[in-house]
Amino acid sequence: MFNRKLGIVDLSKGKVKVSDTPDSLRKAFLGGRGLNSHYLYKMIDSGTDPLGPKNVLVFGTGFLTGTLVPNSSRFNVSAKSPESGILGDANCGGYFAAELRYAGFDRIIVKGKANRPSILYASDGKIEITDAKDYWGLDTTDVQLALKKDLGGVESAVCGVAGENKVRFACVRTGVKNAAGRCGLGAVMGSKNLKAVSAWGKDGIDIAHPEEMLETCAELKDYLMKSKITPILGSVGTPLLYEVSNAFGAIRTKNSQLNAWSDSLNAEEVEKYVDKMIGCSSCIVHCRHRNSLGGEGPEYTALGLLGSNLGIENTANVIELNNVCNELGLDISSSGTYLAWAFELYERGIIDRKVTKDELQFGDFELAKKLLHDISRRRGFGDVLAEGSRNVERFGPESKDYLITVKNLPQSDPHDVRYMKAFALGIATASRGADHLRSRPTLEIFFKLPKEVRERIYGKGVTNDPTSYEAKEKTVFFSDNIFAAIDCLGVCKFICHGFNSPHFVDYSWMKRLIHAASGWNLREKDIEEVGKRVIDTERMFNNREGITRKDDTLPKRYFDDPAPLKIAMGHHIDRKEFDGMLSRYYQLRGWTADGQVKAARKKELEAIA
Amino acid sequence: MRLKLEFTKPFSDAVGRKVVEMEFGGNTCGELLERLSGEYPALSTKFYDEDGSVTDYLIIFLNDKPISALEGLDSEVRDGDRLLFFFPISGG
């Protein structure tokens, strides 16, 4: 079978139900992020406590996950976020998702709360709930190794000590580094007494048109490998971005007080600690580093948020902090943002040792490491920091002015957005809070994107001046839609049209791959509509939690403090221009002027079953 | 005129350093690419495709704007200008 089962686990009752996902739902959302968001909207009531038993946690593979399609390793973990209080969703690679499909499942929905630490084990179309007492308290790699030893070759998605202790920015991990990092979904696992979901399978995935799939994938691989981006990502990985952002004056530094930092975190310095480059299942890019300090990474995000943002220059120190976060199961983006926030608040005297116990200062590696451990175990000031953005109430309203979040979620990547206006709109409107992976609109400044190509992709009027606000909402709209579609397919964004290149997987490739896999004849427009449906469904979830136009904004610093260094010097986001761009974005989406999904559209999406 | 050029990977590998200050007698960015390709032959394959056209995989900033937002390769350079050469890449 190409379709796999939907497993619904009620941990409170200790019951498992296995059923099919109707084709009508699959055609509307395909899989992955889209179907996860649909289930969240249908199953979670407004006002539900994210750390209570009524929250629903979904592990959902993409439509093409586990097939021959290049880079089809992805799955999404979704729940109401304990960090932001709105839609929580995180996309992840590795080997777990393919294994889950081979074990017979497209998706597992977890309800309730187990009365003792538990594990879900999926295999041969069945899910068992087993005791996790021997695994509780283990770090993320140790628990996966123990599960492999005890259950035999399983792949697992787990929470670390941080998740067990319900740190609001605890992540879900698989493998040595892959993380469903954002939104505190590891804490949702911890709140349900769920240490791991393990999978082992021996069933291949039946493809509707096997020869067509072989031919299409071979052609696609050749197409992707012709790009100069693929070998660069495979040899240097995302650390290359650090040097670019730093040269530009677009790297978050010391809680965005500065926008440039040391060359010591450039890719060539990181390479000194790289043992080899590795990939996820079916990956042809191989962008991940196995580092010589006992972990994987760092990505650009870790270099920025655990390096420049904390005022740390030493490359080995940053890699060690990266490895510590991964082992404890802490989201790197949130960890680096909250630590830097606390350091600045301490420097400004907004918080003091009565709260922090220790003296806080940028550049103190040992302090940062200690605080990460303390956060994960909720010790001392770590227990305070573990509450994330909620500390605005504790630290006072002035503290909010220095917090780099949108909708209570720290900005995911280390990119200072003051220069690039489309990028700024993207993080302001992303459905899970300040996040670059929902839209990351940068293609419009691509060197030789001729006007006619730019207009074909985005529509008319988009300039390739990054500092212009003109029509930039169109780049966010386009990118939001296509990235939502590829998240539903379970394919990595690194090979998605518009993320890195116009020469990657676009709607036309998606249409061919979907046909080869399932036999469905979707039009390109149908796939684009899936993306729009996902964005609207996620917005409906957030509207129901009280999200309106007032929340689609940026950290105060990006509006009011011009960037102080390098090319970006003097640039900031103009409030009036931003407001105009936001209004135009709502018009494209068909939302009301207050950012609400209109009643007719809501009714249409609610009727999908 | 005197220009300050900054290169990031992979262009800095071809040049052998990150920053170059140079005297330039030409007028445009296109002419500057030709001059640099002559001076640093390893740059030639990074700047140009096999058919001799400038590669898609190069972004040049002239002071605070990408040349794609100015006049492209015809963008004029002036004394004291700073140029940044980088590879278009995204990620997280």
Side-chain angles (χ1 to χ4, degrees):
Chain A
M1 286 285 287
F2 178 67
N3 296 352
R4 296 305 159 104
K5 298 288 183 181
L6 166 66
I8 302 178
V9 179
D10 188 329
L11 287 172
S12 298
K13 294 179 181 165
K15 297 255 166 116
V16 176
K17 183 182 159 196
V18 176
S19 63
D20 293 308
T21 307
D23 264 4
S24 53
L25 265 185
R26 291 159 55 77
K27 285 192 172 163
F29 294 102
L30 292 171
R33 172 180 156 195
L35 265 179
N36 281 16
S37 292
H38 167 80
Y39 285 118
L40 293 193
Y41 184 76
K42 289 283 185 182
M43 297 177 76
I44 298 174
D45 291 333
S46 168
T48 294
D49 174 6
L51 295 177
K54 289 189 174 169
N55 199 3
V56 172
L57 178 65
V58 189
F59 296 81
T61 65
F63 189 82
L64 297 171
T65 299
T67 65
L68 278 182
V69 173
N71 298 37
S72 58
S73 66
R74 315 294 295 190
F75 67 112
N76 278 64
V77 185
S78 314
K80 184 175 177 183
S81 166
E83 188 173 17
S84 64
I86 59 169
L87 180 109
D89 174 66
N91 181 273
C92 183
Y95 289 80
F96 168 77
E99 200 67 37
L100 186 61
R101 289 201 84 192
Y102 305 152
F105 291 92
D106 284 335
R107 179 166 282 91
I108 295 178
I109 297 177
V110 185
K111 305 192 295 186
K113 177 185 177 180
N115 59 14
R116 63 179 188 279
S118 299
I119 284 163
L120 298 181
Y121 177 36
S123 181
D124 201 20
K126 299 187 184 93
I127 298 171
E128 291 174 48
I129 306 171
T130 61
D131 195 289
K133 70 174 188 301
D134 293 340
Y135 307 105
W136 203 255
L138 293 182
D139 284 344
T140 56
T141 302
D142 287 343
V143 68
Q144 290 179 76
L145 290 173
L147 288 164
K148 267 186 197 293
K149 185 171 167 233
D150 296 346
L151 298 176
V154 295
E155 295 293 336
S156 301
V158 306
C159 70
V161 174
E164 293 173 12
N165 290 319
K166 300 187 267 294
V167 174
R168 288 184 184 272
F169 44 100
C171 66
V172 176
R173 275 273 320 281
T174 185
V176 181
K177 179 187 82 69
N178 290 102
R182 313 267 29 230
C183 304
L185 302 166
V188 179
M189 287 185 78
S191 74
K192 294 186 176 302
N193 267 331
L194 180 63
K195 181 66 180 176
V197 179
S198 297
W200 183 83
K202 59 183 179 352
D203 296 334
I205 296 171
D206 289 335
I207 296 298
H209 302 293
E211 284 190 17
E212 182 185 325
M213 178 61 104
L214 278 170
E215 285 165 14
T216 309
C217 287
E219 193 185 330
L220 177 57
K221 281 175 189 168
D222 286 346
Y223 179 67
L224 295 170
M225 293 309 286
K226 275 184 196 155
S227 167
K228 289 187 181 175
I229 286 171
T230 313
I232 284 260
L233 279 171
S235 60
V236 187
T238 59
L240 181 62
L241 271 161
Y242 174 86
E243 185 183 6
V244 173
S245 289
N246 196 31
F248 204 79
I251 191 85
R252 288 165 61 192
T253 303
K254 294 190 174 180
N255 202 38
S256 300
Q257 294 177 90
L258 300 174
N259 57 323
W261 188 241
S262 165
D263 285 344
S264 60
L265 302 180
N266 282 353
E268 64 204 25
E269 297 301 321
V270 173
E271 281 173 32
K272 293 173 184 168
Y273 298 88
V274 175
D275 281 344
K276 59 182 175 180
M277 301 297 284
I278 51 177
C280 302
S281 68
S282 77
C283 176
I284 62 165
V285 176
H286 290 206
C287 71
R288 284 159 48 192
H289 307 84
R290 175 72 49 84
N291 67 57
S292 58
L293 301 181
E296 287 180 9
E299 301 283 351
Y300 164 57
T301 290
L303 290 169
L305 296 178
L306 300 174
S308 57
N309 205 37
L310 300 184
I312 294 175
E313 288 182 276
N314 182 288
T315 320
N317 286 351
V318 176
I319 295 173
E320 190 174 339
L321 293 179
N322 165 85
N323 293 351
V324 166
C325 281
N326 285 339
E327 290 308 317
L328 297 174
L330 285 169
D331 177 35
I332 285 173
S333 304
S334 290
S335 299
T337 300
Y338 292 133
L339 287 180
W341 179 48
F343 293 174
E344 186 179 356
L345 295 182
Y346 187 89
E347 277 188 351
R348 290 180 179 276
I350 295 170
I351 57 174
D352 58 25
R353 290 183 78 151
K354 284 183 205 148
V355 180
T356 66
K357 312 297 185 238
D358 293 312
E359 182 183 347
L360 305 187
Q361 59 182 349
F362 286 103
D364 189 338
F365 159 69
E366 292 297 340
L367 170 75
K369 189 164 78 167
K370 173 184 176 292
L371 284 172
L372 290 174
H373 282 282
D374 286 348
I375 289 167
S376 73
R377 288 177 169 76
R378 286 187 169 270
R379 292 187 299 232
F381 184 51
D383 186 30
V384 174
L385 286 175
E387 289 297 297
S389 299
R390 291 173 172 233
N391 282 309
V392 168
E393 284 181 31
R394 182 190 298 257
F395 298 160
E398 191 187 355
S399 70
K400 193 170 192 311
D401 293 349
Y402 306 101
L403 181 57
I404 307 299
T405 60
V406 176
K407 303 182 184 75
N408 293 320
L409 190 77
Q411 188 185 339
S412 51
D413 76 324
H415 210 82
D416 187 308
V417 307
R418 286 175 275 202
Y419 181 82
M420 296 172 74
K421 314 311 182 192
F423 205 108
L425 180 67
I427 69 160
T429 53
S431 62
R432 59 181 177 180
D435 198 275
H436 71 296
L437 289 170
R438 293 307 212 212
S439 65
R440 204 177 212 285
T442 51
L443 190 63
E444 87 279 9
I445 60 168
F446 202 71
F447 175 50
K448 279 178 65 181
L449 206 58
K451 189 178 173 206
E452 63 273 17
V453 176
R454 212 165 54 240
E455 288 185 352
R456 181 159 44 80
I457 296 173
Y458 299 121
K460 292 193 173 174
V462 177
T463 74
N464 40 15
D465 179 351
T467 68
S468 167
Y469 298 86
E470 199 176 337
K472 288 301 170 88
E473 68 282 357
K474 293 183 182 176
T475 70
V476 177
F477 180 72
F478 171 84
S479 305
D480 266 347
N481 292 339
I482 195 165
F483 294 170
I486 207 148
D487 281 345
C488 295
L489 292 175
V491 175
C492 179
K493 285 192 185 73
F494 274 10
I495 62 162
C496 183
H497 167 77
F499 191 75
N500 263 316
S501 164
H503 306 302
F504 282 170
V505 175
D506 59 9
Y507 291 120
S508 135
W509 278 108
M510 292 182 198
K511 173 187 158 174
R512 292 177 62 188
L513 294 167
I514 290 168
H515 182 266
S518 65
W520 290 356
N521 281 307
L522 298 186
R523 298 168 300 171
E524 291 176 34
K525 188 175 169 42
D526 296 330
I527 306 167
E528 187 182 4
E529 286 303 316
V530 170
K532 291 179 184 174
R533 220 170 268 134
V534 173
I535 307 260
D536 284 346
T537 301
E538 292 175 348
R539 186 69 178 188
M540 283 156 53
F541 185 98
N542 287 340
N543 284 158
R544 198 168 60 186
E545 296 293 337
I547 293 294
T548 64
R549 184 187 187 105
K550 69 180 184 318
D551 304 294
D552 292 335
T553 186
L554 292 166
K556 182 176 182 297
R557 181 156 266 160
Y558 289 160
F559 287 119
D560 296 344
D561 299 353
L565 299 168
K566 298 201 174 178
I567 288 171
M569 186 166 66
H571 287 278
H572 68 107
I573 304 296
D574 180 274
R575 286 180 189 274
K576 194 174 168 193
E577 292 278 13
F578 176 84
D579 217 39
M581 197 163 57
L582 184 63
S583 294
R584 299 193 299 274
Y585 177 79
Y586 286 171
Q587 282 164 17
L588 284 174
R589 283 262 162 251
W591 296 348
T592 69
D594 196 37
Q596 305 275 345
V597 177
K598 286 181 182 169
R601 175 67 163 169
K602 201 173 149 195
K603 193 173 169 191
E604 174 196 331
L605 293 177
E606 284 177 342
I608 297 172
Chain B
M1 73 181 85
R2 193 152 185 85
L3 302 176
K4 186 173 181 182
L5 315 179
E6 188 172 359
F7 301 94
T8 65
K9 261 182 171 303
F11 308 110
S12 54
D13 293 339
V15 175
R17 55 198 160 126
K18 290 179 183 304
V19 178
V20 171
E21 294 202 31
M22 65 182 290
E23 287 295 328
F24 179 56
N27 295 308
T28 67
C29 285
E31 290 167 11
L32 179 63
L33 289 193
E34 287 172 20
R35 157 85 186 271
L36 287 168
S37 298
E39 207 156 308
Y40 304 98
L43 267 184
S44 185
T45 55
K46 309 273 184 209
F47 283 171
Y48 300 103
D49 289 332
E50 283 176 6
D51 64 2
S53 59
V54 175
T55 176
D56 283 349
Y57 301 100
L58 165 65
I59 297 181
I60 303 172
F61 267 71
L62 174 55
N63 300 315
D64 72 339
K65 299 279 181 189
I67 63 168
S68 57
L70 302 170
E71 302 299 324
L73 293 172
D74 294 330
S75 302
E76 287 190 13
V77 290
R78 296 190 173 81
D79 186 43
D81 278 350
R82 300 165 67 100
L83 291 101
L84 171 66
F85 296 75
F86 66 92
F87 188 88
I89 195 168
S90 298

